[in-house]
Amino acid sequence: MTKDTNGRDAVSVRDLTFSYDGETDVLKGISFDIPQGSYTAVIGHNGSGKSTLAKLLIGLLAAKSGTIRILGQELNEETVYDIRNRTGIVFQNPDNQFIGSTVADDIAFGLENRCIPQNEMQGLIETAAAQVGMTKFLESEPTKLSGGQKQRVAIAGILAVAPDIIIFDESTSMLDPRGKKAINEEIRRLHEERDITILSITHDMEEVAQSDNVLVLRDGTIAMTGTPREVFSRERELKEMDLDVPFAWKITEELMKLGLADHPALNLEEAAEELCR
Ligand code: ADP
């Protein structure tokens, strides 16, 4: 893959095969590397194996064969807890992740697990709640929140901890476009400030356009890897997997060909502004 911040890989997967029933392989001997400090989007049609891969990477599922190295450590029964301390995951369905009786308790959970001193905790909780726009809900009961609000809290829990690697598995799927954009910007800011490696399983092609690398899964194999530009240039193959190149990207590509834009505009508004200049 392309971005190489310090030459080390945060994730290195070799010949990874996994089966739920021992018969049908849902991941079929895949290999890939994710450079430390990069932002990788994982895309693919439903059932292609994205969530299964995420669970394997944090040791919630065990591989049938192959190896996974996280931050240089091979994932196995002995290393799994150490690796989970350095890696966080936010699932699509936040209901499975709530433990605390208030939003604040819930955000605190990951910090407590990582033995953050009590006197630092409150500040970290408040900062994380503000980052996801949930300050007003700190004393609310998580189960009473809307789906989108629950997703915000789950994201806050991981942002508070700021582990070396964060895996987002469709973690903003219940948010409206504006909320999604705001949270994505916050995640991107933290990723850049703290050099956090991000793996984001997403259907949001605008988010994909902004990533460093893209990993495309198809029926348990890796169909493509590369920069967004490299992947988007294979539009016909993407279409076969029900994946659409974002319209704004196409416009910007045309503008660039005409010399009217010198950088990829990342949304339609920016592209339109370029066009009107
Ligand atoms: P994606 O995240 O790309 O939608 P998944 O990793 O969820 O794909 O699923 C990959 C394949 O594994 C699919 O065929 C799905 O039906 C199957 N699968 C997912 N979870 C389970 C499970 N708990 N038990 C059996 N099969 C599963």
Side-chain angles (χ1 to χ4, degrees):
M1 302 203 129
T2 44
K3 183 174 173 183
D4 198 348
T5 45
N6 58 15
R8 271 177 291 166
D9 289 319
V11 178
S12 190
V13 167
R14 290 290 171 274
D15 305 319
L16 180 64
T17 295
F18 176 80
S19 165
Y20 283 100
D21 60 8
E23 283 177 26
T24 318
D25 291 340
V26 297
L27 290 177
K28 302 168 182 168
I30 62 171
S31 300
F32 63 89
D33 296 315
I34 292 179
Q36 216 164 311
S38 64
Y39 193 118
T40 298
V42 182
I43 59 174
H45 59 82
N46 281 339
S48 57
K50 304 179 298 294
S51 291
T52 303
L53 174 62
K55 288 177 190 149
L56 282 158
L57 293 181
I58 55 154
L60 284 180
L61 295 172
K64 181 170 153 187
S65 59
T67 56
I68 297 171
R69 295 183 80 79
I70 305 288
L71 299 160
Q73 254 185 322
E74 184 165 338
L75 179 65
N76 56 40
E77 277 175 18
E78 274 170 31
T79 58
V80 67
Y81 292 105
D82 193 23
I83 285 173
R84 278 194 206 150
N85 264 331
R86 305 180 69 191
T87 309
I89 189 162
V90 185
F91 292 107
Q92 179 172 17
N93 184 353
D95 284 332
N96 300 337
Q97 296 179 72
F98 285 124
I99 293 139
S101 57
T102 64
V103 165
D105 283 350
D106 216 89
I107 299 174
F109 184 73
L111 295 169
E112 280 160 1
N113 273 351
R114 283 161 173 94
C115 304
I116 303 289
Q118 204 67 33
N119 59 350
E120 288 175 26
M121 198 105 78
Q122 195 55 30
L124 290 170
I125 293 168
E126 283 168 13
T127 304
Q131 282 163 340
V132 298
M134 289 299 284
T135 303
K136 277 193 260 166
F137 297 89
L138 275 170
E139 294 314 313
S140 304
E141 208 180 300
T143 50
K144 300 212 167 124
L145 300 175
S146 71
Q149 288 170 329
K150 286 177 186 173
Q151 285 193 322
R152 287 174 189 267
V153 175
I155 292 168
I158 215 71
L159 295 184
V161 172
D164 296 325
I165 301 175
I166 309 180
I167 302 171
F168 293 103
D169 186 355
E170 308 255 4
S171 317
T172 57
S173 58
M174 297 174 195
L175 294 176
D176 60 46
R178 204 197 289 175
K180 203 176 273 196
K181 191 165 181 241
I183 299 268
N184 281 344
E185 276 168 13
E186 202 56 46
I187 291 171
R188 186 162 295 280
R189 195 179 59 74
L190 278 174
H191 148 70
E192 276 161 19
E193 264 177 29
R194 306 208 192 173
D195 209 27
I196 298 174
T197 305
I198 308 274
L199 236 101
S200 179
I201 297 173
T202 183
H203 284 293
D204 178 351
M205 295 303 263
E206 292 217 0
E207 184 191 343
V208 177
Q210 290 181 310
S211 60
D212 299 314
N213 309 306
V214 188
L215 191 70
V216 187
L217 286 186
R218 181 179 199 168
D219 297 329
T221 63
I222 292 180
M224 302 176 206
T225 58
T227 61
R229 169 157 291 130
E230 286 162 352
V231 168
F232 289 164
S233 71
R234 296 164 68 176
E235 192 177 353
R236 202 181 306 160
E237 283 167 78
L238 290 175
K239 197 89 197 146
E240 285 169 14
M241 293 178 254
D242 291 330
L243 299 167
D244 289 315
V245 172
F247 185 54
W249 177 275
K250 288 198 237 179
I251 290 183
T252 312
E253 284 293 296
E254 291 307 316
L255 288 169
M256 286 174 79
K257 276 187 214 155
L258 295 169
L260 292 170
D262 55 8
H263 61 87
L266 295 163
N267 62 45
L268 204 50
E269 275 168 55
E270 286 173 32
E273 275 168 26
E274 285 286 344
L275 193 58
C276 295
R277 265 189 208 163

